[in-house]
Amino acid sequence: MTTRTRITRAPERQRTDRAELHGILDDALVAHVAIVRDGLPLVLPMGFGRGGDAIYLHGSTGSGIFRAMASGAPISVTVTHLDGLVYARSLFDSSMNYRSAVVFGVPTVVAAADKEEAMRVVSDHLMPGRWDEVRDMTKRELAATLVLRLSLAEASVKVRAHGASEAADDGDDRSIWAGVLPLRLAALAPETSALTPPGTAVSAAALAYAARLSR
Amino acid sequence: MTTRTRITRAPERQRTDRAELHGILDDALVAHVAIVRDGLPLVLPMGFGRGGDAIYLHGSTGSGIFRAMASGAPISVTVTHLDGLVYARSLFDSSMNYRSAVVFGVPTVVAAADKEEAMRVVSDHLMPGRWDEVRDMTKRELAATLVLRLSLAEASVKVRAHGASEAADDGDDRSIWAGVLPLRLAALAPETSALTPPGTAVSAAALAYAARLSR
């Protein structure tokens, strides 16, 4: 654990299990990536994938922020799952249940020879099973894609996963309900594109992903 | 529009309507807040509220990052809704539907006299209706809370909200399904705390919030 990864606010919520870090990343589709540009912070949402003890980000070779990240700029990547709203009997003790992971480091550019494999990691993360349903990426597509690898060596995980707490001064009125409203990402029915001929079966990959979210 | 808020990647996705910015913020519970610390980027998830043309962040007066933000540090605040996975007939043209807002600026500290009203904005945003169900915040609680205001003057909004696109070389195999798997945040059944006596009605505020998510 480093100075940056030691949690000082609510330290009892810190987790250090690597499997838990991997699980939080694997359950997420979007990461928020921060970079310093002209001395100022900038944070943008990006799809990502995890493979082993690293995450992979992909973007266009024409993207200014991707070129900056590829040139040795330090970044911070945060993934957050909001798991519930915690209604205590006072606003002060009300809270949220969440799982979050913050990763720090300098990403490296994935070499041309390893790019297709890294893109498979990203694809399998964002749209599991889809890689095998569609044609291979072309050389031109791979050439237009910048893939960055960020090690998970410096990462911290924070989790709140319990019911309402209260202080002694939260009042005598026990008729006020306290509890948790659990939240989760859910999939609705797939919407078929006009590109798809009528009667075509919905992608097994999309259906499997929807089922995974419903578990 | 400033250099920072003009979108250069996929500029057709930029939106400039203030009502759309407000709506994206109002639909979100968690923002990702980036700050530069020791020259390095740091991004953390935080609950927030929007009131008028500003957002409000609250934290403990004992929080290092809140003290840094209160001392004139520039921040970037990003809110993202992932609305769907877009399955094209190639990985390269696959995408995500999303609504995101990025705000830049230097937050100001909300003065003691205005703090309760600002906390009401945050409470009404995160747990609509709950303010009136519980006791008032105490002077001690307000004193322990640092509330920051960030103007929405410098903000950019990016939205993708359509079906699968494809390139000419996405292949002749039209039997491959293309479409969108819509995603949304959903509420599960409220979980009553052990603090609540049996038979107590679930908070109307929590039920109304669950209903809002189900709309």
Side-chain angles (χ1 to χ4, degrees), chain A residues 3-4 8-9 29-30 32-37 39-48 60-64 74-80 82 85-96 98 100 102 104 119 123 126-128 130-131 133-138 140-142 144-145 163-167 169-171 173-197 200-203 205-207 209-210 213, chain B residues 3-4 8-9 29-30 32-37 39-48 60-64 74-80 82 85-96 98 100 102 104 119 123 126-128 130-131 133-138 140-142 144-145 163-167 169-171 173-197 200-203 205-207 209-210 213:
Chain A
T3 307
R4 284 206 291 190
T8 51
R9 296 303 306 171
L29 295 163
V30 170
H32 281 81
V33 180
I35 188 172
V36 180
R37 195 173 60 172
L40 299 169
L42 170 66
V43 50
L44 293 176
M46 296 185 188
F48 75 99
S60 166
T61 52
S63 157
I75 63 174
S76 171
V77 178
T78 297
V79 160
T80 306
L82 178 60
L85 293 172
V86 182
Y87 292 75
R89 290 194 303 124
S90 70
L91 296 168
F92 193 75
D93 291 318
S94 296
S95 188
M96 291 177 172
Y98 61 89
S100 72
V102 182
F104 303 96
M119 282 306 296
S123 177
L126 297 178
M127 296 182 163
R130 186 62 167 173
W131 185 276
E133 292 184 344
V134 298
R135 66 162 171 76
D136 289 346
M137 291 187 73
T138 65
R140 186 184 55 78
E141 290 170 346
L142 284 169
T145 305
S165 307
E166 67 175 348
D169 65 354
D170 276 358
D173 188 355
R174 297 257 158 205
S175 72
I176 298 172
W177 182 83
V180 176
L181 182 66
L183 302 173
R184 65 182 295 172
L185 194 67
L188 306 185
E191 296 168 353
T192 298
S193 161
L195 302 171
T196 310
T200 305
V202 173
S203 153
L207 292 175
Y209 198 84
L213 288 178
Chain B
T3 308
R4 284 206 291 190
T8 51
R9 297 304 304 170
L29 295 163
V30 171
H32 281 81
V33 179
I35 188 171
V36 180
R37 196 174 59 173
L40 299 170
L42 169 66
V43 50
L44 294 176
M46 297 185 187
F48 75 100
S60 165
T61 52
S63 156
I75 63 175
S76 171
V77 178
T78 297
V79 160
T80 306
L82 178 61
L85 293 172
V86 182
Y87 292 76
R89 290 195 301 124
S90 71
L91 297 168
F92 192 75
D93 291 318
S94 295
S95 188
M96 291 177 171
Y98 60 89
S100 71
V102 183
F104 303 96
M119 281 306 296
S123 178
L126 296 177
M127 296 182 163
R130 186 62 167 173
W131 185 276
E133 291 184 345
V134 297
R135 66 161 172 76
D136 289 346
M137 291 188 73
T138 65
R140 185 184 56 76
E141 288 169 349
L142 284 169
T145 306
S165 308
E166 69 174 351
D169 65 352
D170 276 359
D173 188 355
R174 299 255 158 206
S175 71
I176 298 172
W177 182 84
V180 175
L181 182 65
L183 302 174
R184 64 182 296 173
L185 194 67
L188 306 185
E191 296 168 352
T192 298
S193 159
L195 301 171
T196 308
T200 304
V202 173
S203 154
L207 291 175
Y209 198 84
L213 288 177

